[in-house]
Amino acid sequence: MSARLTRGALVLCGGRSRRMGRDKAWLPFDGERMLARAVRLASAATGAVVVIGRPSQNLPALPADVRIVRDDVPDQGPLGGLIPGLRASSADACFATSCDAPFLSAAVIDSLFDALGDADVAVAEAEGYVHPLCAVYRPRVRPVLERLLAAGRRRPVSLYDEVPTVRIDEARLRAVDPDLACLRNLNDEAAYTAALADALPEIEIELFDLARARAGTANTTVRAATLGGALLALADTHSGLVPDVLSAEGIPAPHWRVSLGGERFVVDRATPLDAETPLLLLSALAGG
Amino acid sequence: MPRGGHHGRYLHVDVSTGATRDVALPDVVLRGLVGGVGIGAWLLWRHAPAPGTDALDPSSPLVLSLSPLVGTPLTTSAKFAVVAKSPLTNRIGDALASDRFAIELKACGIDALVVTGAAPEWSLLVIDADGARIEDASDLRGLSSLDAEMRVRERLGDAWRFFGIGPAGEALVRFATISGDSRHAGRGGLGAVLGSKRIKGIAVRGALPTPLADAARTMELAKDLSRRSLGSGTAKYRELGTVTNVLVMNRLAALPTRNFREGTFEGAERISGEALHELPSVRKHCANCTIGCEHVFETSKGTKVRMEYEGLFALGPLCGIDDRDAVLEAAALCDDLGIDVISAGGTIAFAMDCRERGWLDDIPELADVPGFGDTAGQSRLLTQIGHRRGAGALLAEGSRLAAERIGGDAPRYAPHVKGLELPGYEPRAMQTMALGLAVATRGADHNRSGAYEADLQPGADRFVADPKKGPAAAATEIRAAVMDSLILCKFLRGAFDDLIGESAEMLAAVTGFDVDRDELATVGKRIVTLRKLYNEREGWTADEDTLPARFFDEELRTPSGAGVTLSKRGLDRMIAAYYEAHGWNDRGEVPEEARRALFPGQLFPEPLNPQFASPEATA
């Protein structure tokens, strides 16, 4: 039965990011904002994606076919985000995740859909916790969710106690995701930094002329695997470079050039980087 | 629409007698060559004596050419071109200068000034709206241009502006400058040309406004250009100036060091623009300029010095000097003497190189020349050059003639093209720029060719001489000719989306000529061609379009540590592609049909002296 399900995905980003201190939807991660990354990864294993944000929350650019809806009531936790998402989705079942999960895996998502069977929910359970944002939900749980929230019952287990739920245990998860990477969330800077370090090489960037003056440093490092990732991270960490040197999305301003090791100039944002070769950011306006 | 921008006349002064002539400039010339280096080259040709006449012969003209935009509210337009046969290259020499002198000269009701002859005694040429006169300048002899300017303004009044020479111009140093308000027409030794006429300087005061064909549209465009001039395309120049190029070029192994022995300098950080900005400094503007690129630094002695990348590289790394105070003081000395910092640094670096190779041991007049890194020695040589004393007597001739005197392998290491010393772009590390340097009509040049832009393009291999870059190099010459005829500051180029198209709009609003992008691009091509034809007239051959031989067989270390040379065959192939892009033949000559196509009707500048007219004109 599950093979004939139409799959959807819900990406929740309406949290307040209190521990991070800045909106996690906008965190750069190898050339993408985290929300865009989560949407891309979820979409690859499902189908149509619905993003659920806070009312008036400013969101990064997303593909045109992504539907964006807003929390009915903010700050209701994951269950609150699921309600408008399930209302907006036309899929038979939706994988739900948050925007701060950088290592979503198609294999895990497939496992959840495969395990759903006739149940209403399939949820990951590992290391002693259930993970409501690594789970698959049928739309018919929405009235239950509404009732629970109306009663002030915001804990996810309240839902699982009321509707048919399949729990995917740690062993099954590790069979497809040995390190349980899909359960990692970027709750604070330390978690974000650690995730970047685990996934991406450290790239040295040398800054010249106006870039050096605006950044207040001659050298810096970012974590990135591609040119686009490095420049986005640079723009994010050195806001003084924006807009005269880089756009907020890490696009070099006209007349700015990026060189790999001083040997060749590159522009393709997919250009792979390695830790041994520094990036140089310099102006092509040489003289008069 | 009424005509504007031009006054439609130029002033010819024969300083031998003080005779002056007002001469009409027909619209076909004003529209076809616009102004600046365009009209300047046209007048140079028109007043030229016999081909091969010495640049310092009294009959050789010196032209100051204004532009239709001078005196308008368009930002950075207070500029003029100085054009003459260069005593350094014996080819066309043109240099730009800026500031209020341009506005005052234009307000004298002329589009250009042509000076010929030689005054019997040192003189001051005084011009106002009523005409020109010669005054005694014996009291100005030996003064720096700046001091002479102050003396002249005390004499004539503070509203007068001055453009003149320092001691080096008087001594006919082949790379002497002409300057006003500390801004130099720097390259090619045009100060020696003025000196050969025994004219210490030119004082001007005008009263006539520049007429505008469409004042409202001009004002609209001026406001828009001023707004854009404050954008990101000029931020580097406003905030830091070109001195920050030192570390960029150093990192790219393109910073000429110790007479081009290396492309990186271990002392680059110490003399970098960033190091200079640790000193007290102020930012200044030319007249009618919203950018304000000038950064004036104060040394520990209290000397205030305007510094650009070219002076910094030439007096610093090129001579192996990493003492920022010493480099700034050397630049100030060049300003006082009135010598071009690039040629001065290049010639001294070459001499230092020869010293270290042991080639000067048997040349008594060069006994004073030190090795690399000797700041006191550099300062001493600059002074000697400025006054043609001691070793300076030979070094004042420039590196090409000095190399001929030294002999042996020295010419391989003299850093020049056509006699003009190389600017701060290592040709082996920027091989499209190597093409630009090799073919430029005024010699090794970074302002009439922007070929380096092709080296900085993504995907380009700047360590390879690629013939496909020939058209790009040719195109940058045309763009530069357009800017240098209008005249607009090249620091503005980052503010344009379509440089030539937008320039045509401005030109049309100011002049009333209905020029469009295509026509202005043709003007640029015409000017490039006219300069080339002048050089052909003076004996140019394709053999001159090359670089010093050492670049072809001595390796430069790239940032990765690899060794690279400039392939002579590769350079020749690039040159062939460049000639083809300009429509010239395989010997680099302008075909007659191409000349006719670019100079229809009476546009070609037939020499006034019928003895030197072309066969076509005398037929």
Side-chain angles (χ1 to χ4, degrees), chain B residues 263-615:
Chain B
T264 55
F265 182 46
E266 68 283 356
E269 287 280 356
R270 289 188 288 281
I271 51 91
S272 65
E274 286 74 4
L276 295 190
H277 276 283
E278 293 168 0
L279 299 170
S281 67
V282 295
R283 185 162 72 102
K284 295 178 74 176
H285 295 242
C286 291
N288 195 29
C289 172
T290 45
I291 299 175
C293 69
E294 275 190 36
H295 296 267
V296 179
F297 303 96
E298 186 173 336
T299 70
S300 59
K301 293 181 186 172
T303 308
K304 295 181 173 65
V305 192
R306 172 178 180 258
M307 185 55 97
E308 300 286 348
Y309 166 69
E310 292 294 340
L312 190 51
F313 113 86
L315 299 168
L318 196 63
C319 293
I321 289 174
D322 63 0
D323 178 333
R324 69 181 176 188
D325 251 22
V327 173
L328 288 170
E329 293 290 349
L333 184 53
C334 289
D335 285 350
D336 282 348
L337 293 165
I339 52 178
D340 171 26
V341 286
I342 302 176
S343 283
T347 301
I348 289 175
F350 163 69
M352 288 174 159
D353 197 0
C354 291
R355 162 64 63 212
E356 298 209 344
R357 293 176 192 271
W359 294 344
L360 305 186
D361 298 346
D362 300 324
I363 303 178
E365 67 261 42
L366 297 181
D368 260 1
V369 172
F372 290 120
D374 185 332
T375 57
Q378 183 196 60
S379 178
R380 184 177 65 247
L381 285 183
L382 287 171
T383 302
Q384 290 178 338
I385 288 169
H387 296 281
R388 279 191 178 268
R389 295 182 196 136
L394 177 59
L395 299 182
E397 300 287 280
S399 63
R400 176 168 65 178
L401 293 178
E404 288 175 12
R405 167 71 180 89
I406 295 165
D409 273 349
R412 282 172 48 83
Y413 296 91
H416 73 90
V417 172
K418 301 182 180 72
L420 188 70
E421 281 67 26
L422 291 157
Y425 300 79
E426 164 54 65
R428 288 163 293 190
M430 306 184 87
Q431 298 206 356
T432 312
M433 189 58 185
L435 166 64
L437 295 170
V439 298
T441 47
R442 74 170 183 174
D445 188 85
H446 66 291
N447 274 327
R448 304 294 175 267
S449 170
Y452 63 81
E453 293 169 9
D455 288 316
L456 301 180
Q457 289 303 312
D461 187 343
R462 61 190 172 92
F463 300 111
V464 169
D466 181 354
K468 290 198 288 293
K469 302 291 176 51
T476 68
E477 289 185 339
I478 291 169
R479 286 199 295 275
V482 168
M483 293 199 89
D484 295 343
S485 59
L486 284 169
I487 306 167
L488 288 174
C489 179
K490 294 200 177 69
F491 290 173
L492 257 186
R493 65 194 186 283
F496 288 102
D497 297 321
D498 172 11
L499 170 65
I500 298 180
E502 292 169 45
S503 296
E505 269 192 81
M506 287 187 271
L507 188 61
V510 169
T511 64
F513 293 137
D514 57 344
V515 292
D516 59 14
R517 187 189 190 289
D518 288 348
E519 180 174 340
L520 193 54
T522 301
V523 168
K525 187 166 184 173
R526 182 178 295 129
I527 293 168
V528 170
T529 303
L530 185 58
R531 290 197 294 219
K532 181 60 178 287
L533 284 164
Y534 179 86
N535 280 0
E536 286 186 28
R537 178 188 193 270
E538 295 299 322
W540 170 91
T541 67
D543 293 342
E544 298 175 16
D545 286 355
T546 189
L547 284 159
R550 61 101 56 88
F551 293 122
F552 303 131
D553 53 29
E554 292 187 6
E555 285 191 340
L556 178 83
R557 294 286 138 208
T558 72
S560 70
V564 63
T565 59
L566 174 65
S567 155
K568 177 69 167 71
R569 183 166 173 272
L571 178 64
D572 288 345
R573 289 173 62 206
M574 284 200 297
I575 290 172
Y578 160 88
Y579 289 161
E580 186 179 0
H582 272 317
W584 301 341
N585 67 24
D586 57 7
R587 295 183 304 281
E589 299 156 345
V590 181
E592 180 57 20
E593 59 270 25
R595 184 185 75 86
R596 285 175 188 273
L598 281 170
F599 294 89
Q602 302 301 306
L603 189 49
F604 196 76
E606 294 304 336
L608 286 169
N609 187 338
Q611 179 185 348
F612 309 123
S614 70

Side-chain angles (χ1 to χ4, degrees), chain B residues 108-127:
Chain B
C108 292
I110 57 177
D111 297 314
L113 169 69
V114 177
V115 181
T116 56
E121 305 294 341
W122 280 98
S123 302
L124 177 70
L125 177 56
V126 180
I127 302 171

Side-chain angles (χ1 to χ4, degrees), chain A residues 206 214 262-263 285-286 288, chain B residues 236 239 245 251 447 462 560:
Chain A
E206 300 175 27
R214 291 291 172 83
E263 289 284 323
L285 292 171
Chain B
K236 165 180 173 170
E239 295 180 30
N245 290 344
R251 188 63 177 83
N447 274 327
R462 61 190 172 92
S560 70

